[in-house]
mmCIF file of all heavy atoms in Angstrom:
data_model
loop_
_atom_site.group_PDB
_atom_site.id
_atom_site.type_symbol
_atom_site.label_atom_id
_atom_site.label_comp_id
_atom_site.label_asym_id
_atom_site.label_seq_id
_atom_site.Cartn_x
_atom_site.Cartn_y
_atom_site.Cartn_z
ATOM 1 N N GLY A 1 0.795 -1.213 -0.003
ATOM 2 C CA GLY A 1 0.000 -0.003 -0.002
ATOM 3 C C GLY A 1 0.826 1.271 -0.001
ATOM 4 O O GLY A 1 0.305 2.352 0.163
ATOM 5 N N GLY A 2 2.113 1.151 -0.147
ATOM 6 C CA GLY A 2 2.986 2.324 -0.131
ATOM 7 C C GLY A 2 2.802 3.174 -1.375
ATOM 8 O O GLY A 2 2.199 2.757 -2.352
ATOM 9 N N GLY A 3 3.361 4.362 -1.337
ATOM 10 C CA GLY A 3 3.159 5.307 -2.419
ATOM 11 C C GLY A 3 4.215 5.266 -3.491
ATOM 12 O O GLY A 3 4.266 6.145 -4.312
ATOM 13 N N GLY A 4 5.121 4.327 -3.485
ATOM 14 C CA GLY A 4 6.058 4.275 -4.591
ATOM 15 C C GLY A 4 7.490 4.412 -4.156
ATOM 16 O O GLY A 4 7.948 3.768 -3.229
ATOM 17 N N GLY A 5 8.232 5.327 -4.818
ATOM 18 C CA GLY A 5 9.679 5.397 -4.739
ATOM 19 C C GLY A 5 10.318 5.639 -3.393
ATOM 20 O O GLY A 5 11.457 5.291 -3.203
ATOM 21 N N GLY A 6 9.658 6.257 -2.442
ATOM 22 C CA GLY A 6 10.306 6.592 -1.181
ATOM 23 C C GLY A 6 10.321 5.436 -0.214
ATOM 24 O O GLY A 6 9.719 4.388 -0.414
ATOM 25 N N VAL A 7 11.059 5.601 0.877
ATOM 26 C CA VAL A 7 11.090 4.599 1.935
ATOM 27 C C VAL A 7 9.771 4.689 2.678
ATOM 28 O O VAL A 7 9.268 5.777 2.924
ATOM 29 C CB VAL A 7 12.271 4.890 2.896
ATOM 30 C CG1 VAL A 7 12.268 3.939 4.048
ATOM 31 C CG2 VAL A 7 13.582 4.849 2.128
ATOM 32 N N ALA A 8 9.187 3.540 3.050
ATOM 33 C CA ALA A 8 7.902 3.537 3.751
ATOM 34 C C ALA A 8 8.004 4.398 4.986
ATOM 35 O O ALA A 8 8.945 4.297 5.762
ATOM 36 C CB ALA A 8 7.505 2.112 4.111
ATOM 37 N N GLY A 9 7.058 5.285 5.201
ATOM 38 C CA GLY A 9 7.040 6.138 6.368
ATOM 39 C C GLY A 9 7.599 7.530 6.109
ATOM 40 O O GLY A 9 7.430 8.417 6.928
ATOM 41 N N ASP A 10 8.297 7.734 5.000
ATOM 42 C CA ASP A 10 8.831 9.054 4.704
ATOM 43 C C ASP A 10 7.697 9.970 4.253
ATOM 44 O O ASP A 10 6.829 9.569 3.488
ATOM 45 C CB ASP A 10 9.873 8.997 3.586
ATOM 46 C CG ASP A 10 11.220 8.479 4.065
ATOM 47 O OD1 ASP A 10 11.365 8.280 5.285
ATOM 48 O OD2 ASP A 10 12.101 8.275 3.222
ATOM 49 N N LEU A 11 7.702 11.185 4.752
ATOM 50 C CA LEU A 11 6.742 12.192 4.330
ATOM 51 C C LEU A 11 7.422 13.076 3.302
ATOM 52 O O LEU A 11 8.515 13.599 3.551
ATOM 53 C CB LEU A 11 6.294 13.029 5.524
ATOM 54 C CG LEU A 11 5.393 14.227 5.202
ATOM 55 C CD1 LEU A 11 4.072 13.731 4.609
ATOM 56 C CD2 LEU A 11 5.122 15.023 6.460
ATOM 57 N N VAL A 12 6.788 13.229 2.155
ATOM 58 C CA VAL A 12 7.402 14.013 1.094
ATOM 59 C C VAL A 12 6.462 15.149 0.716
ATOM 60 O O VAL A 12 5.307 14.928 0.382
ATOM 61 C CB VAL A 12 7.672 13.132 -0.153
ATOM 62 C CG1 VAL A 12 8.253 13.971 -1.282
ATOM 63 C CG2 VAL A 12 8.591 11.988 0.201
ATOM 64 N N VAL A 13 6.961 16.374 0.813
ATOM 65 C CA VAL A 13 6.241 17.541 0.352
ATOM 66 C C VAL A 13 7.173 18.267 -0.604
ATOM 67 O O VAL A 13 8.271 18.664 -0.223
ATOM 68 C CB VAL A 13 5.855 18.476 1.518
ATOM 69 C CG1 VAL A 13 5.191 19.731 0.991
ATOM 70 C CG2 VAL A 13 4.955 17.760 2.500
ATOM 71 N N ASN A 14 6.746 18.400 -1.815
ATOM 72 C CA ASN A 14 7.562 19.087 -2.806
ATOM 73 C C ASN A 14 7.326 20.590 -2.721
ATOM 74 O O ASN A 14 6.166 21.037 -2.709
ATOM 75 C CB ASN A 14 7.237 18.582 -4.218
ATOM 76 C CG ASN A 14 7.607 17.122 -4.378
ATOM 77 O OD1 ASN A 14 8.651 16.689 -3.936
ATOM 78 N ND2 ASN A 14 6.718 16.352 -4.989
ATOM 79 N N GLN A 15 8.405 21.343 -2.640
ATOM 80 C CA GLN A 15 8.300 22.797 -2.538
ATOM 81 C C GLN A 15 7.571 23.377 -3.750
ATOM 82 O O GLN A 15 6.847 24.359 -3.619
ATOM 83 C CB GLN A 15 9.692 23.413 -2.394
ATOM 84 C CG GLN A 15 10.445 22.971 -1.159
ATOM 85 C CD GLN A 15 9.718 23.325 0.135
ATOM 86 O OE1 GLN A 15 9.099 24.370 0.226
ATOM 87 N NE2 GLN A 15 9.815 22.456 1.110
ATOM 88 N N ASP A 16 7.756 22.757 -4.914
ATOM 89 C CA ASP A 16 7.077 23.250 -6.105
ATOM 90 C C ASP A 16 5.561 23.135 -5.963
ATOM 91 O O ASP A 16 4.820 23.994 -6.440
ATOM 92 C CB ASP A 16 7.530 22.473 -7.346
ATOM 93 C CG ASP A 16 8.975 22.761 -7.709
ATOM 94 O OD1 ASP A 16 9.513 23.785 -7.227
ATOM 95 O OD2 ASP A 16 9.575 21.971 -8.456
ATOM 96 N N ASP A 17 5.103 22.069 -5.288
ATOM 97 C CA ASP A 17 3.657 21.894 -5.079
ATOM 98 C C ASP A 17 3.104 22.991 -4.179
ATOM 99 O O ASP A 17 2.045 23.559 -4.452
ATOM 100 C CB ASP A 17 3.362 20.530 -4.448
ATOM 101 C CG ASP A 17 3.706 19.380 -5.381
ATOM 102 O OD1 ASP A 17 3.774 19.602 -6.603
ATOM 103 O OD2 ASP A 17 3.901 18.256 -4.873
ATOM 104 N N LEU A 18 3.818 23.301 -3.094
ATOM 105 C CA LEU A 18 3.379 24.375 -2.203
ATOM 106 C C LEU A 18 3.316 25.702 -2.950
ATOM 107 O O LEU A 18 2.354 26.461 -2.825
ATOM 108 C CB LEU A 18 4.324 24.513 -1.005
ATOM 109 C CG LEU A 18 4.303 23.398 0.029
ATOM 110 C CD1 LEU A 18 5.366 23.664 1.097
ATOM 111 C CD2 LEU A 18 2.943 23.263 0.668
ATOM 112 N N GLY A 19 4.345 25.974 -3.729
ATOM 113 C CA GLY A 19 4.388 27.222 -4.484
ATOM 114 C C GLY A 19 3.277 27.302 -5.513
ATOM 115 O O GLY A 19 2.673 28.359 -5.697
ATOM 116 N N ALA A 20 2.985 26.177 -6.165
ATOM 117 C CA ALA A 20 1.940 26.173 -7.197
ATOM 118 C C ALA A 20 0.561 26.433 -6.587
ATOM 119 O O ALA A 20 -0.228 27.218 -7.122
ATOM 120 C CB ALA A 20 1.942 24.844 -7.949
ATOM 121 N N VAL A 21 0.279 25.806 -5.448
ATOM 122 C CA VAL A 21 -1.008 26.014 -4.792
ATOM 123 C C VAL A 21 -1.106 27.452 -4.284
ATOM 124 O O VAL A 21 -2.146 28.105 -4.410
ATOM 125 C CB VAL A 21 -1.241 24.999 -3.657
ATOM 126 C CG1 VAL A 21 -2.497 25.322 -2.878
ATOM 127 C CG2 VAL A 21 -1.310 23.593 -4.214
ATOM 128 N N GLY A 22 -0.019 27.948 -3.705
ATOM 129 C CA GLY A 22 -0.011 29.340 -3.248
ATOM 130 C C GLY A 22 -0.234 30.321 -4.392
ATOM 131 O O GLY A 22 -0.975 31.295 -4.260
ATOM 132 N N HIS A 23 0.400 30.043 -5.529
ATOM 133 C CA HIS A 23 0.221 30.905 -6.710
ATOM 134 C C HIS A 23 -1.224 30.844 -7.214
ATOM 135 O O HIS A 23 -1.811 31.877 -7.558
ATOM 136 C CB HIS A 23 1.177 30.495 -7.819
ATOM 137 C CG HIS A 23 0.975 31.259 -9.082
ATOM 138 N ND1 HIS A 23 1.359 32.579 -9.220
ATOM 139 C CD2 HIS A 23 0.397 30.910 -10.263
ATOM 140 C CE1 HIS A 23 1.025 33.002 -10.429
ATOM 141 N NE2 HIS A 23 0.448 32.004 -11.079
ATOM 142 N N ASP A 24 -1.803 29.638 -7.242
ATOM 143 C CA ASP A 24 -3.204 29.502 -7.678
ATOM 144 C C ASP A 24 -4.147 30.264 -6.744
ATOM 145 O O ASP A 24 -5.109 30.879 -7.202
ATOM 146 C CB ASP A 24 -3.602 28.025 -7.741
ATOM 147 C CG ASP A 24 -2.959 27.295 -8.912
ATOM 148 O OD1 ASP A 24 -2.407 27.965 -9.813
ATOM 149 O OD2 ASP A 24 -2.996 26.048 -8.913
ATOM 150 N N ALA A 25 -3.875 30.212 -5.448
ATOM 151 C CA ALA A 25 -4.697 30.950 -4.482
ATOM 152 C C ALA A 25 -4.579 32.448 -4.718
ATOM 153 O O ALA A 25 -5.570 33.182 -4.658
ATOM 154 C CB ALA A 25 -4.304 30.596 -3.049
ATOM 155 N N PHE A 26 -3.378 32.922 -5.025
ATOM 156 C CA PHE A 26 -3.181 34.338 -5.316
ATOM 157 C C PHE A 26 -3.908 34.725 -6.600
ATOM 158 O O PHE A 26 -4.552 35.784 -6.671
ATOM 159 C CB PHE A 26 -1.686 34.679 -5.430
ATOM 160 C CG PHE A 26 -1.447 36.113 -5.773
ATOM 161 C CD1 PHE A 26 -1.605 37.104 -4.818
ATOM 162 C CD2 PHE A 26 -1.069 36.481 -7.064
ATOM 163 C CE1 PHE A 26 -1.387 38.443 -5.132
ATOM 164 C CE2 PHE A 26 -0.851 37.817 -7.380
ATOM 165 C CZ PHE A 26 -1.013 38.796 -6.427
ATOM 166 N N THR A 27 -3.813 33.893 -7.630
ATOM 167 C CA THR A 27 -4.491 34.169 -8.900
ATOM 168 C C THR A 27 -6.012 34.217 -8.690
ATOM 169 O O THR A 27 -6.691 35.113 -9.220
ATOM 170 C CB THR A 27 -4.144 33.090 -9.940
ATOM 171 O OG1 THR A 27 -2.733 33.085 -10.121
ATOM 172 C CG2 THR A 27 -4.833 33.345 -11.271
ATOM 173 N N LEU A 28 -6.537 33.267 -7.913
ATOM 174 C CA LEU A 28 -7.967 33.266 -7.607
ATOM 175 C C LEU A 28 -8.350 34.529 -6.854
ATOM 176 O O LEU A 28 -9.374 35.152 -7.137
ATOM 177 C CB LEU A 28 -8.338 32.019 -6.792
ATOM 178 C CG LEU A 28 -9.792 31.885 -6.385
ATOM 179 C CD1 LEU A 28 -10.708 31.864 -7.595
ATOM 180 C CD2 LEU A 28 -9.986 30.635 -5.537
ATOM 181 N N TYR A 29 -7.508 34.931 -5.901
ATOM 182 C CA TYR A 29 -7.752 36.155 -5.146
ATOM 183 C C TYR A 29 -7.872 37.356 -6.091
ATOM 184 O O TYR A 29 -8.811 38.147 -5.984
ATOM 185 C CB TYR A 29 -6.612 36.393 -4.146
ATOM 186 C CG TYR A 29 -6.668 37.746 -3.480
ATOM 187 C CD1 TYR A 29 -7.443 37.934 -2.343
ATOM 188 C CD2 TYR A 29 -5.970 38.826 -4.000
ATOM 189 C CE1 TYR A 29 -7.511 39.187 -1.740
ATOM 190 C CE2 TYR A 29 -6.024 40.068 -3.397
ATOM 191 C CZ TYR A 29 -6.798 40.245 -2.269
ATOM 192 O OH TYR A 29 -6.872 41.470 -1.681
ATOM 193 N N GLU A 30 -6.917 37.493 -7.003
ATOM 194 C CA GLU A 30 -6.936 38.625 -7.937
ATOM 195 C C GLU A 30 -8.167 38.595 -8.836
ATOM 196 O O GLU A 30 -8.799 39.620 -9.075
ATOM 197 C CB GLU A 30 -5.654 38.639 -8.785
ATOM 198 C CG GLU A 30 -4.434 39.115 -8.024
ATOM 199 C CD GLU A 30 -4.559 40.554 -7.556
ATOM 200 O OE1 GLU A 30 -5.035 41.417 -8.318
ATOM 201 O OE2 GLU A 30 -4.183 40.810 -6.397
ATOM 202 N N ASP A 31 -8.508 37.398 -9.340
ATOM 203 C CA ASP A 31 -9.688 37.271 -10.205
ATOM 204 C C ASP A 31 -10.970 37.620 -9.451
ATOM 205 O O ASP A 31 -11.844 38.326 -9.966
ATOM 206 C CB ASP A 31 -9.793 35.863 -10.782
ATOM 207 C CG ASP A 31 -8.707 35.567 -11.803
ATOM 208 O OD1 ASP A 31 -8.017 36.506 -12.260
ATOM 209 O OD2 ASP A 31 -8.520 34.370 -12.136
ATOM 210 N N LEU A 32 -11.083 37.131 -8.214
ATOM 211 C CA LEU A 32 -12.269 37.431 -7.410
ATOM 212 C C LEU A 32 -12.327 38.910 -7.049
ATOM 213 O O LEU A 32 -13.401 39.513 -7.062
ATOM 214 C CB LEU A 32 -12.287 36.583 -6.136
ATOM 215 C CG LEU A 32 -12.599 35.105 -6.318
ATOM 216 C CD1 LEU A 32 -12.404 34.364 -4.998
ATOM 217 C CD2 LEU A 32 -14.011 34.914 -6.825
ATOM 218 N N ARG A 33 -11.190 39.472 -6.713
ATOM 219 C CA ARG A 33 -11.154 40.881 -6.290
ATOM 220 C C ARG A 33 -11.666 41.788 -7.401
ATOM 221 O O ARG A 33 -12.412 42.736 -7.151
ATOM 222 C CB ARG A 33 -9.735 41.273 -5.899
ATOM 223 C CG ARG A 33 -9.609 42.664 -5.289
ATOM 224 C CD ARG A 33 -8.173 42.990 -4.937
ATOM 225 N NE ARG A 33 -7.286 42.979 -6.091
ATOM 226 C CZ ARG A 33 -7.192 43.952 -6.990
ATOM 227 N NH1 ARG A 33 -7.930 45.020 -6.885
ATOM 228 N NH2 ARG A 33 -6.351 43.846 -8.009
ATOM 229 N N THR A 34 -11.297 41.476 -8.633
ATOM 230 C CA THR A 34 -11.694 42.338 -9.745
ATOM 231 C C THR A 34 -13.065 41.972 -10.315
ATOM 232 O O THR A 34 -13.683 42.816 -10.966
ATOM 233 C CB THR A 34 -10.656 42.282 -10.883
ATOM 234 O OG1 THR A 34 -10.508 40.933 -11.319
ATOM 235 C CG2 THR A 34 -9.323 42.817 -10.419
ATOM 236 N N GLY A 35 -13.538 40.758 -10.071
ATOM 237 C CA GLY A 35 -14.778 40.327 -10.711
ATOM 238 C C GLY A 35 -16.001 40.217 -9.833
ATOM 239 O O GLY A 35 -17.091 39.968 -10.333
ATOM 240 N N THR A 36 -15.859 40.402 -8.521
ATOM 241 C CA THR A 36 -17.023 40.159 -7.654
ATOM 242 C C THR A 36 -17.601 41.418 -7.033
ATOM 243 O O THR A 36 -18.500 41.334 -6.210
ATOM 244 C CB THR A 36 -16.652 39.208 -6.502
ATOM 245 O OG1 THR A 36 -15.621 39.801 -5.716
ATOM 246 C CG2 THR A 36 -16.234 37.853 -7.001
ATOM 247 N N ASP A 37 -17.131 42.582 -7.401
ATOM 248 C CA ASP A 37 -17.602 43.811 -6.776
ATOM 249 C C ASP A 37 -18.883 44.288 -7.430
ATOM 250 O O ASP A 37 -18.886 45.231 -8.215
ATOM 251 C CB ASP A 37 -16.517 44.884 -6.844
ATOM 252 C CG ASP A 37 -16.918 46.165 -6.120
ATOM 253 O OD1 ASP A 37 -17.871 46.115 -5.305
ATOM 254 O OD2 ASP A 37 -16.290 47.204 -6.371
ATOM 255 N N ILE A 38 -20.022 43.653 -7.110
ATOM 256 C CA ILE A 38 -21.282 44.089 -7.717
ATOM 257 C C ILE A 38 -21.810 45.346 -7.036
ATOM 258 O O ILE A 38 -22.593 46.072 -7.620
ATOM 259 C CB ILE A 38 -22.354 42.967 -7.709
ATOM 260 C CG1 ILE A 38 -22.743 42.579 -6.292
ATOM 261 C CG2 ILE A 38 -21.908 41.776 -8.504
ATOM 262 C CD1 ILE A 38 -23.947 41.669 -6.220
ATOM 263 N N ALA A 39 -21.360 45.617 -5.814
ATOM 264 C CA ALA A 39 -21.806 46.845 -5.135
ATOM 265 C C ALA A 39 -21.207 48.080 -5.798
ATOM 266 O O ALA A 39 -21.830 49.139 -5.826
ATOM 267 C CB ALA A 39 -21.436 46.803 -3.661
ATOM 268 N N GLY A 40 -19.991 47.947 -6.332
ATOM 269 C CA GLY A 40 -19.313 49.103 -6.920
ATOM 270 C C GLY A 40 -19.372 49.168 -8.438
ATOM 271 O O GLY A 40 -18.944 50.160 -9.021
ATOM 272 N N ALA A 41 -19.876 48.112 -9.072
ATOM 273 C CA ALA A 41 -19.910 48.087 -10.543
ATOM 274 C C ALA A 41 -20.840 49.183 -11.067
ATOM 275 O O ALA A 41 -21.951 49.365 -10.572
ATOM 276 C CB ALA A 41 -20.386 46.720 -11.024
ATOM 277 N N GLY A 42 -20.389 49.928 -12.053
ATOM 278 C CA GLY A 42 -21.195 51.002 -12.648
ATOM 279 C C GLY A 42 -21.435 52.153 -11.686
ATOM 280 O O GLY A 42 -22.522 52.731 -11.647
#
């Protein structure tokens, strides 16, 4: 039931994965910030 290449029990977190999720959250933030202001539109 192991996950593949690593030694059983090793926890692996790739820095690139953290950065990618953080970047996606920032992109979503920017998109929401500019697209959800119905109170101020027009």
